[in-house]
């Protein structure tokens, strides 16, 4: 699989994937993480990127490294960690709250797309294209596909010259990240998940703000229907 080459992007991906595993209970509070070599093999990343990702999680109070013993998931999470890690579980268990998140996402992301279409540069467009050019297939981990999906929307937000709008988008992304991973896994079609963003990219590329807004609203409305179907399946 072709990998994005920017170190920062790789580190962000590792942070996201490890966070997802903690969210799902793969690594429970107090449990020891696999060795660095094992994590490198599982995630397909280099030692430096992995260590930087672990350092970030350590700084957030999510994990703790004890020299000579290993790295462990924290038993007591800090308040900032609760906001970023546990709230998505509440959304997952409450369909009404999840629908509210989707509605909020549609309002904020449609405006972001419109502004991005007006403010984008050639470099911005290239970064968006790189995300959709990633080679994925049925064997690609759902965590990675979900990461690329959210990364596309995050890159759109970064184009916009509005600090508060970007912060609002980041907050929504933190809440929906865990759910999106499960949703992507249920689709069994990673290529379709990424290609659904192609029309949005084309509208932004040609500078059509209104079309970009409309396409994002349409994209998220389809997602909402799929989310509802996914929630019903998880209740069965």
């Amino acid at each position: 699989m072709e990998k994005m080459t920017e170190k920062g992007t790789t580190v962000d991906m590792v942070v996201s994937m490890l966070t997802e595993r903690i969210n799902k209970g793969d690594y429970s509070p107090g449990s020891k993480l696999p060795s660095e070599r094992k994590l490198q093999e599982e995630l397909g990343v280099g030692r430096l990127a992995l260590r930087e990702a672990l350092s970030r999680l350590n700084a957030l109070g999510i994990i703790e490294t004890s020299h000579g013993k290993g790295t462990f998931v924290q038993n007591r999470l800090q308040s900032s960690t609760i906001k970023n890690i546990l709230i998505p579980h509440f959304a997952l268990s409450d369909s009404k709250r999840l629908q509210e998140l989707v509605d909020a996402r549609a309002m904020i992301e449609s405006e972001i797309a419109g502004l991005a279409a007006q403010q984008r540069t050639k470099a911005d467009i290239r970064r968006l294209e790189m995300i959709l050019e990633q080679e994925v297939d049925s064997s690609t981990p759902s965590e990675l596909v979900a990461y690329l999906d959210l990364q596309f929307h995050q890159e759109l937000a970064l184009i916009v010259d509005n600090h508060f709008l970007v912060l609002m988008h980041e907050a929504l992304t933190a809440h929906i990240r865990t759910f999106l991973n499960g949703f992507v896994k249920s689709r069994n079609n990673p290529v379709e998940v990424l290609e659904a963003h192609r029309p949005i990219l084309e509208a932004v590329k040609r500078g059509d703000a209104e079309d970009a807004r409309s396409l994002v609203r349409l994209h998220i409305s389809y997602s909402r229907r799929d989310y509802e179907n996914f929630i019903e399946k998880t209740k069965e």
Side-chain angles (χ1 to χ4, degrees), residues 3-232:
K3 295 182 180 178
M4 302 182 75
T5 56
E6 295 182 18
K7 181 183 176 185
T9 300
T10 303
V11 173
D12 291 341
M13 181 188 73
V14 176
V15 169
S16 176
M17 295 176 77
L18 289 176
T19 299
E20 293 296 341
R21 294 184 180 192
I22 293 171
N23 282 339
K24 293 188 299 181
D26 293 347
Y27 307 139
S28 58
S31 67
K32 183 178 180 180
L33 294 185
S35 67
E36 288 190 4
R37 177 174 294 182
K38 179 68 173 176
L39 287 174
Q40 284 178 243
E41 293 174 354
E42 290 181 358
L43 303 177
V45 297
R47 184 177 63 177
L48 291 179
L50 175 63
R51 287 188 172 179
E52 186 170 333
L54 292 174
S55 178
R56 287 190 192 179
L57 292 173
N58 215 324
L60 287 170
I62 298 171
I63 62 174
E64 182 177 20
T65 299
S66 177
H67 294 293
K69 294 183 179 180
T71 301
F72 299 82
V73 179
Q74 286 276 35
N75 276 310
R76 296 183 179 180
L77 299 178
Q78 300 172 1
S79 59
S80 60
T81 304
I82 291 173
K83 176 183 177 182
N84 292 324
I85 303 299
L86 298 184
I87 286 180
H89 281 305
F90 301 149
L92 275 171
S93 62
D94 188 332
S95 59
K96 183 177 184 298
R97 291 290 176 264
L98 181 58
Q99 289 168 6
E100 289 173 354
L101 276 175
V102 172
D103 289 341
R105 187 183 176 202
M107 288 185 283
I108 291 175
E109 291 201 13
S110 61
E111 185 58 27
I112 284 174
L115 292 172
Q118 296 171 334
Q119 300 175 17
R120 84 280 185 266
T121 65
K122 289 183 179 179
D124 294 327
I125 294 300
R126 183 57 194 141
R127 282 194 296 273
L128 292 171
E129 289 175 336
M130 282 179 62
I131 295 170
L132 299 189
E133 287 170 1
Q134 297 303 297
E135 295 179 5
V136 297
D137 54 35
S138 58
S139 66
T140 305
S142 60
E143 296 159 315
L144 176 56
V145 179
Y147 168 80
L148 292 171
D149 184 320
L150 288 178
Q151 187 69 11
F152 179 86
H153 293 280
Q154 288 170 336
E155 284 294 336
L156 275 179
L158 291 174
I159 295 172
V160 178
D161 187 21
N162 187 314
H163 181 67
F164 292 102
L165 198 55
V166 171
L167 288 177
M168 291 169 67
H169 179 263
E170 288 178 351
L172 284 175
T173 297
H175 293 326
I176 207 167
R177 189 185 304 276
T178 299
F179 171 79
L180 184 60
N181 180 47
F183 165 68
V184 169
K185 192 172 184 178
S186 73
R187 292 295 295 271
N188 294 319
N189 193 337
V191 176
E192 182 181 272
V193 170
L194 291 187
E195 281 302 307
H197 298 81
R198 184 73 61 180
I200 300 170
L201 170 59
E202 293 304 318
V204 171
K205 190 174 182 178
R206 64 177 180 268
D208 190 334
E210 283 307 310
D211 199 25
R213 290 188 182 97
S214 297
L215 286 167
V216 166
R217 285 193 291 267
L218 183 63
H219 171 69
I220 294 179
S221 71
Y222 287 153
S223 298
R224 176 172 182 164
R225 182 187 60 196
D226 291 336
Y227 292 165
E228 290 170 349
N229 291 337
F230 175 74
I231 291 171
E232 289 304 314

